Amino acid sequence: MTSAPEIESAFVGACLMDPERARSAIFNLNPNDFSDPLCQRVFIAIRRMIADGKPVDIITLLPALRADNELTPEDSLRIDRAVDSAIPAHAAAYADMILTGASARRLKLTLADLAAGINGDPLPALDKLRALVEGESERLTTGHEDVFPRFTLSDLHALMLEPERNLA
């Protein structure tokens, strides 16, 4: 299975190769959906450049990141590799995978927090969990009902028993 950093790299590479094709996907994601810090910084820079009406490509991105002191030589090489490996036509699919992974990470963290914090009455914790599940499920499925099923509490129970399980 492809890891989150590989998917995130492919997404930012696709955005740099064809930002117009990736535009809707860019605005369906949030910076905190990225697990890789470099991909998150690149994503933020791309969104900022689009919002400022600046052209987006690897030539314009690298100076923008350097100006913010956010770029090392190793980072430049990783960005180059991301562009080389990306397929711009797949930007929406990459974004969907990032969104699914981010939702699963948030659910896992919330489950761990809830499991650590339940002392006595579990009903408030279950209400918080139910609200999170409904919110993440809505975020994942809006516009993608044919691709993503809604999460259920049984999915979350299985996730607690098997944390490495992928809900996608």
Side-chain angles (χ1 to χ4, degrees), residues 28-71:
N28 286 335
L29 293 173
N30 296 311
N32 63 354
D33 291 332
F34 290 80
S35 62
D36 182 277
L38 175 61
C39 291
Q40 184 181 55
R41 290 192 319 265
V42 170
F43 175 75
I44 291 168
I46 289 170
R47 282 183 66 165
R48 184 175 54 228
M49 292 169 75
I50 290 171
D52 292 345
K54 295 180 179 175
V56 176
D57 58 37
I58 195 160
I59 303 302
T60 58
L61 174 79
L62 294 178
L65 289 173
R66 284 188 193 108
D68 294 337
N69 294 320
E70 295 182 2
L71 192 68

Side-chain angles (χ1 to χ4, degrees), residues 65-106:
L65 289 173
R66 284 188 193 108
D68 294 337
N69 294 320
E70 295 182 2
L71 192 68
T72 67
E74 295 81 18
D75 292 342
S76 294
L77 290 173
R78 283 189 56 208
I79 294 168
D80 284 339
R81 284 194 303 267
V83 170
D84 289 342
S85 67
I87 300 171
H90 295 174
Y94 299 147
D96 287 342
M97 289 187 269
I98 292 168
L99 182 60
T100 302
S103 291
R105 282 192 305 278
R106 281 190 281 278

Side-chain angles (χ1 to χ4, degrees), residues 110-119:
T110 300
L111 288 171
D113 289 348
L114 290 173
I118 294 177
N119 294 325

